[in-house]
Amino acid sequence: MTYLNTEVIEVAILENFELKDAEETLIDKYRIRKLNEWEKEQLMKLGRFEKLGIMVGPHLILPLNMWCIEVNYGVQKKRLHDLGSDIDEFIKVMRLFKGGSVSRGAVLRYSKIGNIFSVNLATWKNIQISVPRSIYYVLNQNEIDSLSQLWELYNRVKDKLPDQLKLSLRWFEKSYEELEVEDKILDLDIAFDAMFSGYKYFNYVSNLR
């Protein structure tokens, strides 16, 4: 539960991500930075392991320095949306901007009352087997303005997109959830076909689902 009339902050781990030549950056309300020590402590409790940077499962390692996205919602007067949903939308645009296997891991939502922080909601996604560094999502400082412009454009048009583009985006996003390369390629092929095949393809795939 999110407490009302308190400052609410949401933080999500960015997996397979690196910000180059900058300690942090701010795009709209989304601040990309590294987790602070208090946040790491809460995630350690949530993940039930002793310290960051250790093996947390077969072939799975939680890195010591983790990048995250922070959204500060300020003082809330009403209950917030689903945990991580705003950040998921921003990550979608990051994926559209350039290649790389960026994804969202654990999410914390906490309230600040004075100088005291209290975790309201949290979720932990299992970290997948580390991917080769060549497909890390690396955001360079000189790309930040362009990503910011794409995010602004996306927000202007997202509710006006035709059905085939909405379908294409859904399959594009689904490809990031697949573990097998063949499944990723299939999802991207459907996304490509949906983008250019119009409403007939949209109706055909909708009937299949």
Side-chain angles (χ1 to χ4, degrees), residues 16 99-102 131-138:
N16 303 319
S101 298
V102 64
V131 296
R133 194 168 181 79
S134 60
I135 58 173
Y136 259 51
Y137 189 103
V138 179

Side-chain angles (χ1 to χ4, degrees), residues 56-152:
V56 295
H59 312 296
L60 308 180
I61 298 178
L62 189 65
L64 180 62
N65 294 315
M66 291 183 292
W67 292 97
C68 67
I69 294 183
E70 170 201 306
V71 180
N72 189 326
Y73 291 102
V75 177
Q76 288 301 301
K77 302 295 184 182
K78 60 182 180 180
R79 188 181 298 272
L80 284 175
H81 51 73
D82 292 339
L83 187 67
S85 59
D86 272 1
I87 292 174
D88 286 341
E89 195 78 354
F90 184 76
I91 291 176
K92 179 194 298 184
V93 175
M94 291 177 65
R95 291 167 170 172
L96 290 168
F97 178 69
K98 66 182 298 186
S101 298
V102 64
S103 59
R104 173 177 66 75
V107 183
L108 287 176
R109 179 184 292 167
Y110 55 90
S111 296
K112 182 179 180 182
I113 307 173
N115 291 322
I116 300 174
F117 292 90
S118 174
V119 174
N120 307 138
L121 293 169
T123 181
W124 182 266
K125 289 176 63 178
N126 290 330
I127 296 178
Q128 295 178 4
I129 295 176
S130 297
V131 296
R133 194 168 181 79
S134 60
I135 58 173
Y136 259 51
Y137 189 103
V138 179
L139 182 62
N140 297 299
Q141 191 173 19
N142 59 9
E143 297 174 317
I144 292 171
D145 285 345
S146 298
L147 175 57
S148 181
Q149 291 170 13
L150 179 60
W151 171 249
E152 183 181 345

Side-chain angles (χ1 to χ4, degrees), residues 9-13 33-45 52 66 68-70 108 110 117 119:
I9 298 168
E10 195 167 278
V11 171
I13 290 178
R33 60 170 175 81
K34 289 187 177 178
L35 290 169
N36 62 41
E37 293 305 314
W38 183 86
E39 291 162 347
K40 289 179 181 180
E41 181 182 342
Q42 303 311 308
L43 290 170
M44 284 191 287
K45 292 176 182 177
L52 300 179
M66 291 183 292
C68 67
I69 294 183
E70 170 201 306
L108 287 176
Y110 55 90
F117 292 90
V119 174

Side-chain angles (χ1 to χ4, degrees), residues 16-31:
N16 303 319
F17 175 85
E18 184 177 353
L19 179 62
K20 277 282 191 181
D21 305 318
E23 289 298 315
E24 65 174 49
T25 189
L26 180 66
I27 299 176
D28 194 8
K29 63 183 179 182
Y30 301 91
R31 185 179 302 278

